[in-house]
Amino acid sequence: MEKYVLSKTIAIVLGALTIIATLGYGFLFLLGTSLGQALHSNIDTLATNKLTLLILISLLIVGVITGAGSFGLNWNVWRIVYCGFCLVLGICLLVTFFISMGAIGSTFEFMILCISMMYFWMGYLVKKKK
């Protein structure tokens, strides 16, 4: 059996979910912003818009690295970098889960926790070469 089959499958699914969620959130953000401007009910949020768009672009890049990066796991250096990338992302999402407790609803908090655990699991599978 080929090495990293399970890691590649999880990475592709997780990367696709990250990209889809980011595009969905970006669409809703731009829709809400444009409706606020059209109805003249929007206060000046130029700095907030730039920060939100920067976060969306960062999440898109993370999704692409997660999905496409799994195909370079046969190289030793990339495997170490990718394992570290997965573990750092898992830690960041776990911290985000604890920060957002009670703020965004239990469904979204549970989703953040599950994605964090999937990144930890993917880092473990890459380390074990499965």
Side-chain angles (χ1 to χ4, degrees), residues 20-130:
I20 289 169
T22 303
L23 290 176
Y25 177 75
F27 173 72
L28 291 176
F29 169 75
L30 292 175
L31 180 68
T33 303
S34 62
L35 281 175
Q37 289 173 354
L39 297 173
H40 301 293
S41 63
N42 193 10
I43 52 178
D44 187 25
T45 58
L46 188 60
T48 307
N49 290 349
K50 287 181 182 178
L51 180 63
T52 305
L53 290 176
L54 179 69
I55 291 170
L56 287 173
I57 290 170
S58 300
L59 284 172
L60 278 174
I61 291 170
V62 164
V64 169
I65 290 173
T66 300
S70 65
F71 292 105
L73 291 176
N74 292 328
W75 298 310
N76 193 25
V77 174
W78 179 248
R79 185 173 47 248
I80 294 169
V81 169
Y82 193 75
C83 182
F85 170 77
C86 291
L87 293 177
V88 166
L89 231 56
I91 291 170
C92 290
L93 286 168
L94 190 63
V95 168
T96 303
F97 166 73
F98 285 119
I99 288 173
S100 68
M101 285 191 80
I104 59 175
S106 60
T107 304
F108 293 117
E109 291 166 0
F110 183 70
M111 184 180 70
I112 291 172
L113 181 65
C114 288
I115 292 173
S116 171
M117 292 301 125
M118 287 181 71
Y119 271 108
F120 281 131
W121 188 36
M122 192 167 51
Y124 172 77
L125 289 175
V126 168
K127 181 86 171 148
K128 292 295 180 182
K129 299 182 181 181
K130 293 188 181 202

